[in-house]
Amino acid sequence: MKSTHNYEYGIVSLRMALGVMFLAHGLLKLFVFTPTGTAGFFGSLGLPAFLGPLTMSLEILGGVGLIVGYYSRWIVVALLPVLLGSILFVHGSNGWGFANEGGGWEYSAFLIIASIAQFFFGDGSFSVRQLFGNHQEPKKAAAAS
């Protein structure tokens, strides 16, 4: 016998894990590296320096949004460029293994796949949108009228 609760627990577990990971990375940039240091790092990569604080903000806001379950599928879409950028500009040349010097790209690649899975799942149960009755997709809500 299948339990939809197990399915929903899986969705919320993935959503929370991604949310905590993004939030932790954003807060690391904010409190340890600082916005100025983060901007400097992005500049050292040949990227516009403003992308550092922008990335930091996206990670913090996106992490909180995922944790509470607020438009999760669109949050992960907005964060995919961050993960792709971490491969293209930071970890890609370090090889596959994250244990390699400078960290390889395996972790970022895994997070991309997990984010794509979250996109297909959406908010799931135990989300702010479900709590306030706004968890249906527009087509489903329109069909229910």
Side-chain angles (χ1 to χ4, degrees), residues 45-71:
L45 298 172
L47 296 168
F50 77 88
L51 288 178
L54 176 62
T55 297
M56 177 187 69
S57 299
L58 282 171
E59 288 175 334
I60 292 169
L61 294 173
V64 170
L66 285 169
I67 290 167
V68 301
Y70 189 73
Y71 291 98

Side-chain angles (χ1 to χ4, degrees), residues 41-140:
F41 176 70
F42 274 65
S44 76
L45 298 172
L47 296 168
F50 77 88
L51 288 178
L54 176 62
T55 297
M56 177 187 69
S57 299
L58 282 171
E59 288 175 334
I60 292 169
L61 294 173
V64 170
L66 285 169
I67 290 167
V68 301
Y70 189 73
Y71 291 98
S72 301
R73 69 181 59 209
W74 304 114
I75 290 172
V76 294
V77 166
L79 289 167
L80 280 175
V82 171
L83 296 170
L84 290 168
S86 75
I87 291 174
L88 293 172
F89 297 104
V90 182
H91 301 292
S93 62
N94 300 334
W96 165 256
F98 198 73
N100 294 351
E101 186 175 339
W105 54 275
E106 70 173 302
Y107 185 58
S108 298
F110 171 78
L111 291 172
I112 289 169
I113 300 304
S115 294
I116 291 169
Q118 187 65 57
F119 174 82
F120 288 115
F121 290 136
D123 294 322
S125 294
F126 317 109
S127 66
V128 167
R129 288 186 66 212
Q130 183 188 45
L131 181 66
F132 293 108
N134 188 17
H135 65 285
Q136 293 181 331
E137 294 298 314
K139 287 181 183 178
K140 291 180 185 175

